[in-house]
Amino acid sequence: MNPTARITVLSGGTGGAKFLQGLLHGITSGTLPGVSRDASVTVIANTADDIWVHGLKVCPDLDTVMYTLGGGIDNDRGWGRREETWSVKAELAEYGVEPTWFGLGDRDVATHLVRLQMLQAGHTLSQVTQALCRRWQPGVRLLPMTDDRVETHVEIADPESLNGHRVVHFQEYWIKLGASVPAERLVFEGIEDSAPAPGVVDAIMNADLVILPPSNPVVSVGTIVGVPGVREAIVGTNASVVGLSPIVGGTHVRGMAEQMLTSIGVEVSAAGVGLHFGSRAQGGVLDGWLVDLADADQVPRLIDAGITCRAVPLMMTDHAATAAMAAAAMSIVA
Ligand code: GDP
Ligand code: CA
């Protein structure tokens, strides 16, 4: 069999970026079964978290992947630039400008000014991303899922409003409210009218392997798969498609996958997410699914549903452990 040379990953922010670090570590150290050391990785990143703040277009997942793989991330926070300062944020607060809950550090502002200038000059988000990556050299080809505006909004209870509900941007739900109230409904504004960004469908159709990393299954991977044409490409590609559970022992490791799954009525478990994605043989998107050792008892449910499944350690504690997860993912669909 030919070695795996083209890998495509559908990524959110922190979970996806961490997985990608391990995957690249595995490729360069030659520890992935059947993968050539010069294998190329294409990342299709979620852009449904994007938000306009202070006149700037913020793309949290694209930037988290770019900064993480390019060595610019603040590792403790998991987002934004390392060695960051916050003068711009403090000055804006002095003016009483909202939103005060969204922090853009001074170094980060520069990235956003470049993005804004390019967008205003008529470039697409894909072109802007490519330009920003010339500086960061992330070691992957980084593509936004779409160049169109797609935004995740969350409906929450609000006794003070007339109909008892209020709709907030996903970022407000996550950052300001800390995902502490139930998400009653999710609205993916613009998704039905969006088109995959240039290269997205090709990257899936021409891949040797497609990976769904342990990213949020609803507001990261779910939105990418929700762009019209992406699901069809995943169903139709000759590549194997394998995913890793973001739910371990019945909860997310970090983040708010639990709230999002509850919101769309999906069982919060490794099996629940795998079955929600479904077997590719039956119109879903998965050939294989990895669950954590803690969830080994759920493996038969997935196998019954036509998904190849195995339980392995799924905690991304360091690059080597994450590379071992990538290796396990490859071996179950080899
Ligand atoms: P976000 O855009 O920053 O929310 O990042 P992603 O969507 O890429 O990933 C967030 C999800 O990754 C979390 O909700 C967790 O479910 C999952 N996650 C984070 N760390 C780990 C880990 O070490 N192991 C596993 N299996 N999942 C993880
Ligand atoms: Ca995100």
Side-chain angles (χ1 to χ4, degrees), residues 12-16 61 214-216 220 245-246 248 252-257 314-316:
T14 50
D61 291 359
S215 278
N216 191 304
S220 295
S245 177
V248 173
H252 50 236
V253 182
R254 54 182 76 84
M256 39 55 218
L314 283 191
M315 297 303 286
M316 298 188 283

Side-chain angles (χ1 to χ4, degrees), residues 19-313:
F19 177 79
L20 287 162
Q21 281 185 307
L23 176 67
L24 294 179
H25 175 79
I27 292 173
T28 48
S29 61
T31 55
L32 302 180
V35 176
S36 55
R37 273 178 195 256
D38 56 0
S40 64
V41 177
T42 299
V43 178
I44 301 170
N46 172 51
T47 59
D49 291 9
D50 293 12
I51 185 168
W52 286 85
V53 183
H54 306 308
L56 302 172
K57 183 177 171 65
V58 184
C59 304
D61 291 359
L62 276 173
D63 286 355
T64 297
V65 171
M66 181 176 78
Y67 287 156
T68 301
L69 300 183
I73 199 85
D74 181 293
N75 278 316
D76 296 332
R77 273 201 317 275
W79 59 270
R81 291 280 283 110
R82 64 184 163 80
E83 292 154 18
E84 189 57 283
T85 53
W86 303 91
S87 299
V88 172
K89 185 173 187 245
E91 288 291 310
L92 287 166
E94 289 294 331
Y95 283 111
V97 176
E98 294 287 340
T100 49
W101 48 266
F102 198 92
L104 273 186
D106 302 337
R107 288 175 184 266
D108 215 2
V109 166
T111 302
H112 290 85
L113 291 176
V114 175
R115 176 177 291 132
L116 183 70
Q117 286 179 27
M118 286 192 68
L119 289 172
Q120 283 178 335
H123 295 287
T124 62
L125 184 60
S126 298
Q127 291 167 330
V128 175
T129 305
Q130 201 181 355
L132 294 172
C133 284
R134 273 201 284 278
R135 171 181 176 193
W136 290 105
Q137 297 289 318
V140 299
R141 187 163 67 112
L142 180 58
L143 306 176
M145 67 185 197
T146 179
D147 283 335
D148 300 321
R149 183 169 179 163
V150 177
E151 279 185 16
T152 301
H153 293 181
V154 183
E155 191 175 294
I156 58 171
D158 181 6
E160 283 168 23
S161 81
L162 277 179
N163 63 2
H165 301 285
R166 184 158 62 100
V167 176
V168 296
H169 190 287
F170 171 75
Q171 295 298 343
E172 183 170 348
Y173 178 76
W174 172 228
I175 299 171
K176 186 177 179 189
L177 303 174
S180 59
V181 295
E184 300 196 331
R185 199 165 63 92
L186 299 178
V187 181
F188 303 109
E189 288 280 342
I191 200 159
E192 276 150 29
D193 299 323
S194 69
V200 164
V201 167
D202 279 356
I204 297 168
M205 294 304 290
N206 298 326
D208 299 318
L209 178 69
V210 175
I211 303 180
L212 277 49
S215 278
N216 191 304
V218 185
V219 294
S220 295
V221 177
T223 40
I224 301 171
V225 173
V227 175
V230 171
R231 172 180 285 275
E232 292 76 3
I234 297 173
V235 171
T237 181
N238 286 329
S240 297
V241 184
V242 60
L244 299 92
S245 177
I247 299 293
V248 173
T251 186
H252 50 236
V253 182
R254 54 182 76 84
M256 39 55 218
E258 194 170 332
Q259 291 90 322
M260 297 294 102
L261 287 165
T262 304
S263 172
I264 62 163
V266 171
E267 177 188 307
V268 183
S269 70
V273 178
L275 296 174
H276 167 64
F277 284 142
S279 157
R280 213 150 65 102
Q282 294 162 27
V285 297
L286 291 177
D287 298 314
W289 185 240
L290 286 182
V291 303
D292 189 80
L293 287 177
D295 302 312
D297 59 335
Q298 298 174 25
V299 170
R301 286 176 66 193
L302 291 140
I303 292 175
D304 284 350
I307 300 168
T308 305
C309 184
R310 189 184 302 162
V312 298

